Amino acid sequence: MHVDTHTIVFLEAWIFVMDTSLSLYPCTIIVLPGCVTNLIFSWVGMNAAVRAVVRMGIYVGAKVYFIREGYQGMVDGGEDNIEEASWESVSSMLQMGGTVIGSARCKEFRTHEGRLKAAHNLVQRGITNLCVIGGDGSLTGANLFREEWSGLLEELVQQGSVDEDAVQKYSALHIVGMVGSIDNDFCGTDMTIGTDSALHRIIEVVDAIMTTAQSHQRTFVLEVMGRHCGYLALVSALACGADWVLIPEMPPEDGWEEKMCQKLSANRAGMKRLNIIIVAEGAVDCNNTPITSDNVKDLVVRCLGFDTRVTILGHVQRGGTPSAFDRILASRMGVEAVLALLETTANTPACVVSLCGNQAVRLPLMECVQMTQEVQKAMDEKKFEEAVKLREASHSYRTYCHRAPAAGMNAAVRSAVRVGISEGHKMFAVNDGFEGFYKGQIKEIKWADVGGWTGQGGSLLGTKRTLPAKHVEKIAEQMRANNINALLVIGGFECLLQLYEARSVYEEFCIPMCMLPATISNNVPGTDLSIGADTALNAIVETCDRIKQSASGTKRRVFIIETMGGYCGYLASVGGLAAGADAAYIYEEPFDIRDLQSNVEHLTEKMKGAIQRGLVLRNENSNENYTTDFIYQLYSEEGKGVFDCRKNVLGHMQQGGAPSPFDRNFGTKISAKAMQWLSKKLKETFRQGRVFANTEDSCCLLGMRRRALVFQPVVQLKDETDFVHRIPKEQWWLKLRPLMKILAKYKTSYDVSDSGQLEHVVRNVRPKESDPSGAM
């Protein structure tokens, strides 16, 4: 049944975002030696992961080594290649790109003789645990090494290189993998280490190019990495509002050239001064014929005569400093890898630590590798539908590949508007939040109206802190006058709850309503993540990096940094983890003068060693009496003769700038799902010529809960909320606090109750995203 619906897109919460630099790193390999007493390392990946594994290994009593230059160092051996790591040897490396221990391609390790040398070098040091970071090739090599291990030891005995006791003592080799790949081409994980940083670099370049393209009315063809996976191309196209995107998994149908040119021409005729086309380096047509950036440029010039330029990013995507997301991901994965190694037995298969939604999981390494290889096989055989399913591409991504890229908070609006129009709805927008709503600042918003919204910070519709409770009568009048049949609110939590409670008095609110969480504080109940929080984290981390760098020539200095967040300590805690803070003071974890004194003593001891810089974060409302000034003065007094202090209040800098790729993406995805949900509810509640919805499950918040996006009735979230302090009663990120302390060398306990257990790869790894009435 078709319903001529009117949907309103409306921004209530204030959110501002800021982009930063990032990074990606080459292949390395991390290795961990024998059980709990002897951990060894080699690396393929990220410095944040190196730091986490080294420090967590030392924390649990293991001896940790670097294996420099990856497998090559393992084969060559020697003290220069296999070096014991100390706590201090991984300090001041979170902000560094690349890998501090190096990586190299190693043809010798591909041979039996090379692996025999590597086994000998490991046994000499009692190494039986390896943590490898790399792609499917590096991880497959590690698993082959593991399978051959017993045979290699027997050969070494026969050669007289090791004795029989060594064979008994080191009879099993254990392997845990972490996936380091900017392409995000490994099945079994939502994100690989380095992908988010690569997206940051791409978006930086695209945002810069768009300025030139607009002023000169140019078309830019941008080639990004992705030989076998189009993730970077597709997501960057969503995040920047590209006109066209070409990826290997979803080749265009015959005649795509004409369709693309028609699209570009129509956009230019609609007064759009620029066109952006993004091409993955492995893009092909439906006959598996490569589509290059030069092919696309020649096509546009020949058919349209547009001034067209090609930009090939190449290894630029691998440069810079890591994003906040990558630092946190790598730190979590590194700790999880150590825990996985400590729990292995002789019968435990090699596993890979993965990310599913917002949860760390462990999956059999070779099951993931096999599925990754199946994707390539399907593409080679032109079974592109199968390849897409194996990639677990979400429905919203496939929709947007043809319809509407979007970004950040403004991205969420753009996504909602274009998906809504695509589904046949008439869309309205409200300016200035609920204040504008009751004043009648409502206007229809069309497809072209949201063009160019990608990449812009803040809220183009405007926001106010006004809640609807005092104005529900006037708001109801406006809804009646404009025949509003569904409502999408982007912002905080309380406003939608107040509208739900007004249903008993005003029938105008008996319509499907959905809330998208958007706040830099990440304090909305019912969701692990909110639009805008990632951008604020990047702003904090970038500032902390610069502050620490400013002291590179200064001995023994501690920085006290105040972050925003109201009473929610998310930014201080997670920002502290990403920036390598020594302490983070928050409201949720009460502290007193004894804690402050203990932290000062800890820093005093630290300054006597090789590490001579300290970083302390404080959430703005962490304590009424222990203010930032108080802590600064206390540290300055108690640190006399050992270190000096500086303080910095970040303030609204955390709210400014362009949204991060994650926020653009997250806003796009959840907004598209919300619109699909609203369309479904409109059909379900349309009776006798009108829409009437008064059940709890028709007024929901869409949030990320562990592994899935879930629609939750707002009335059911009341019991989960501390309304006085505007924070959820339970917050998942508090479990990361001990991790931050461990990596800062504090003695504390780490909760492993939520630690990943070995699972299995299935064809649909991700649980179905659901609402209270059933899965979508």
Side-chain angles (χ1 to χ4, degrees):
M1 178 185 301
H2 175 72
V3 185
D4 184 17
T5 57
H6 300 270
T7 309
I8 175 169
V9 177
F10 152 75
L11 297 191
E12 185 274 336
W14 44 290
I15 223 204
F16 311 82
V17 269
M18 179 162 199
D19 201 3
T20 54
S21 52
L22 20 130
S23 117
L24 220 245
Y25 333 94
C27 266
T28 327
I29 135 182
I30 228 186
V31 204
L32 319 180
C35 298
V36 183
T37 56
N38 206 11
L39 261 192
I40 159 187
F41 273 52
S42 133
W43 270 93
V44 185
M46 218 168 161
N47 289 323
V50 176
R51 174 178 178 267
V53 180
V54 168
R55 291 193 170 180
M56 189 64 182
I58 293 173
Y59 182 81
V60 299
K63 197 172 186 179
V64 184
Y65 295 82
F66 294 132
I67 297 183
R68 298 192 178 276
E69 308 305 336
Y71 287 126
Q72 189 66 57
M74 192 191 300
V75 172
D76 293 342
E79 292 183 1
D80 291 340
N81 291 311
I82 303 179
E83 173 191 350
E84 184 173 352
S86 66
W87 193 275
E88 290 75 17
S89 64
V90 291
S91 65
S92 302
M93 65 189 298
L94 275 172
Q95 68 273 24
M96 297 171 64
T99 166
V100 296
I101 60 176
S103 67
R105 295 186 181 277
C106 182
K107 293 182 179 179
E108 197 172 357
F109 189 76
R110 297 180 182 180
T111 67
H112 181 79
E113 292 74 15
R115 293 192 291 275
L116 189 65
K117 289 181 184 178
H120 183 227
N121 290 326
L122 296 188
V123 170
Q124 281 185 318
R125 293 166 178 79
I127 296 167
T128 57
N129 291 322
L130 301 180
C131 177
V132 182
I133 302 183
D136 62 304
S138 299
L139 298 176
T140 300
N143 190 67
L144 176 62
F145 191 41
R146 170 183 169 274
E147 291 175 344
E148 292 181 344
W149 182 257
S150 59
L152 294 172
L153 294 190
E154 291 294 339
E155 283 189 55
L156 291 172
V157 170
Q158 292 172 11
Q159 294 176 0
S161 300
V162 301
D163 55 32
E164 290 286 353
D165 290 341
V167 175
Q168 296 297 321
K169 190 173 181 180
Y170 309 120
S171 59
L173 179 68
H174 305 298
I175 291 175
V176 171
M178 286 183 277
V179 189
S181 164
I182 68 168
D183 293 345
N184 202 29
D185 58 353
F186 193 82
C187 292
T189 185
D190 286 356
M191 287 286 278
T192 56
I193 297 172
T195 300
D196 187 71
S197 293
L199 283 172
H200 271 256
R201 184 61 70 224
I202 294 168
I203 295 305
E204 281 183 353
V205 172
V206 173
D207 286 350
I209 282 176
M210 289 177 76
T211 305
T212 301
Q214 276 192 322
S215 60
H216 292 76
Q217 293 197 56
R218 284 179 178 155
T219 295
F220 271 88
V221 181
L222 188 73
E223 181 180 304
V224 301
M225 285 186 168
R227 188 167 301 168
H228 305 299
C229 178
Y231 183 87
L232 290 179
L234 180 55
V235 173
S236 58
L238 293 174
C240 73
D243 297 272
W244 205 265
V245 60
L246 295 160
I247 62 175
E249 297 93 335
M250 298 178 68
E253 299 175 355
D254 289 335
W256 66 272
E257 297 93 340
E258 183 180 352
K259 292 179 181 178
M260 185 186 75
C261 289
Q262 288 176 350
K263 169 74 172 175
L264 299 178
S265 182
N267 285 347
R268 193 64 67 89
M271 303 306 291
K272 185 176 181 180
R273 295 178 59 85
L274 78 157
N275 300 114
I276 299 288
I277 303 167
I278 296 185
V279 183
E281 62 178 329
V284 295
D285 63 19
C286 56
N287 298 311
N288 254 350
T289 303
I291 301 174
T292 69
S293 51
D294 284 333
N295 294 155
V296 176
K297 174 192 173 181
D298 293 342
L299 172 66
V300 174
V301 172
R302 183 176 68 252
C303 296
L304 300 176
F306 290 171
D307 184 3
T308 305
R309 306 296 169 90
V310 172
T311 299
I312 300 176
L313 293 188
H315 282 71
V316 167
Q317 295 154 87
R318 296 181 181 272
T321 59
S323 68
F325 182 94
D326 266 336
R327 299 187 197 193
I328 297 162
L329 174 65
S331 297
R332 292 175 68 183
M333 297 298 99
V335 169
E336 185 69 26
V338 173
L339 296 176
L341 281 170
L342 297 181
E343 296 170 11
T344 56
T345 67
N347 298 320
T348 304
C351 76
V352 62
V353 180
S354 301
L355 181 72
C356 184
N358 190 38
Q359 187 175 11
V361 297
R362 301 176 195 169
L363 298 171
L365 189 153
M366 292 313 296
E367 288 185 17
C368 296
V369 169
Q370 182 181 0
M371 183 176 287
T372 302
Q373 293 172 346
E374 285 179 19
V375 173
Q376 184 55 47
K377 181 181 177 183
M379 291 167 62
D380 291 341
E381 296 175 354
K382 302 180 184 179
K383 299 177 181 178
F384 298 108
E385 288 280 345
E386 182 180 338
V388 170
K389 290 178 181 177
L390 289 170
R391 284 269 188 243
E392 298 179 312
S394 70
H395 176 62
S396 63
Y397 281 169
R398 282 184 281 172
T399 299
Y400 272 84
C401 190
H402 301 289
R403 292 184 181 173
M409 192 176 194
N410 293 317
V413 178
R414 186 171 187 266
S415 174
V417 168
R418 294 195 167 179
V419 171
I421 292 173
S422 296
E423 298 198 356
H425 305 308
K426 184 182 287 187
M427 307 296 294
F428 286 81
V430 174
N431 291 107
D432 296 333
F434 282 105
E435 184 174 317
F437 206 164
Y438 82 80
K439 291 180 178 178
Q441 295 174 204
I442 305 170
K443 62 177 182 180
E444 185 177 355
I445 188 166
K446 298 183 178 180
W447 187 281
D449 295 335
V450 291
W453 284 33
T454 58
Q456 298 197 43
S459 165
L460 293 176
L461 290 181
T463 62
K464 298 283 186 179
R465 289 182 176 271
T466 307
L467 290 171
K470 295 181 180 179
H471 309 286
V472 288
E473 184 177 357
K474 291 183 178 179
I475 293 172
E477 290 176 4
Q478 293 295 336
M479 295 185 70
R480 184 167 56 252
N482 289 279
N483 191 25
I484 303 301
N485 300 123
L487 182 66
L488 178 64
V489 182
I490 306 173
F493 160 71
E494 291 173 82
C495 51
L496 200 63
L497 179 61
Q498 291 179 359
L499 294 182
Y500 172 82
E501 292 171 344
R503 280 179 168 180
S504 59
V505 180
Y506 301 98
E507 282 193 3
E508 286 79 5
F509 300 114
C510 293
I511 58 173
M513 296 187 285
C514 187
M515 163 69 71
L516 302 182
T519 165
I520 67 166
S521 304
N522 199 30
N523 62 342
V524 179
T527 185
D528 292 352
L529 303 169
S530 300
I531 301 170
D534 181 75
T535 304
L537 278 177
N538 277 287
I540 292 168
V541 169
E542 181 183 21
T543 303
C544 289
D545 286 351
R546 291 182 177 180
I547 287 172
K548 288 194 294 185
Q549 187 181 39
S550 71
S552 59
T554 306
K555 298 282 187 179
R556 297 175 181 172
R557 177 163 289 173
V558 175
F559 294 92
I560 316 293
I561 311 294
E562 181 182 301
T563 67
M564 297 182 74
Y567 286 95
C568 180
Y570 176 81
L571 293 179
S573 295
V574 181
L577 175 61
D582 296 279
Y585 300 120
I586 62 172
Y587 169 78
E588 294 91 340
E589 193 173 283
F591 59 96
D592 57 25
I593 194 67
R594 291 182 294 273
D595 297 306
L596 294 174
Q597 184 62 38
S598 175
N599 294 148
V600 171
E601 292 170 358
H602 176 83
L603 284 165
T604 301
E605 190 65 27
K606 171 182 174 180
M607 295 297 174
K608 293 177 181 178
I611 305 174
Q612 300 195 344
R613 280 178 291 172
L615 179 67
V616 175
L617 272 62
R618 177 188 175 273
N619 171 246
E620 59 183 346
N621 289 341
S622 56
N623 188 288
E624 184 178 359
N625 297 310
Y626 299 135
T627 63
T628 301
D629 284 335
F630 178 90
I631 294 174
Y632 164 70
Q633 292 169 8
L634 175 68
Y635 273 57
S636 298
E637 179 65 28
E638 296 298 319
K640 278 183 178 178
V642 181
F643 60 82
D644 64 357
C645 285
R646 296 290 187 274
K647 67 175 179 178
N648 195 303
V649 179
L650 300 187
H652 285 73
M653 185 191 68
Q654 297 155 82
Q655 296 179 328
S660 69
F662 180 91
D663 276 332
R664 301 184 192 198
N665 233 6
F666 187 52
T668 296
K669 182 174 181 178
I670 64 172
S671 189
K673 290 192 175 296
M675 286 306 305
Q676 292 161 359
W677 181 84
L678 286 171
S679 294
K680 175 185 172 184
K681 289 297 179 183
L682 283 166
K683 292 178 181 178
E684 291 176 355
T685 58
F686 185 75
R687 299 288 184 276
Q688 299 178 345
R690 60 171 294 195
V691 173
F692 185 82
N694 64 350
T695 57
E696 290 183 359
D697 65 358
S698 63
C699 182
C700 289
L701 178 140
L702 174 57
M704 170 64 74
R705 277 288 178 97
R706 293 170 67 86
R707 299 193 187 190
L709 288 171
V710 181
F711 290 91
Q712 304 151 95
V714 293
V715 68
Q716 295 179 12
L717 296 176
K718 288 176 66 175
D719 293 338
E720 299 181 21
T721 307
D722 175 355
F723 285 96
V724 175
H725 299 100
R726 299 177 66 84
I727 56 175
K729 292 179 181 178
E730 294 186 8
Q731 304 190 81
W732 69 272
W733 52 265
L734 287 171
K735 293 182 178 180
L736 300 181
R737 298 263 309 164
L739 173 57
M740 182 192 73
K741 293 177 182 178
I742 288 171
L743 298 182
K745 212 173 183 177
Y746 286 90
K747 290 297 180 183
T748 186
S749 59
Y750 184 64
D751 181 11
V752 297
S753 62
D754 197 34
S755 184
Q757 301 300 316
L758 190 64
E759 302 179 16
H760 289 281
V761 177
V762 292
R763 293 304 161 184
N764 184 13
V765 174
R766 185 192 305 282
K768 290 184 178 179
E769 291 148 350
S770 60
D771 61 42
S773 60
M776 283 185 62

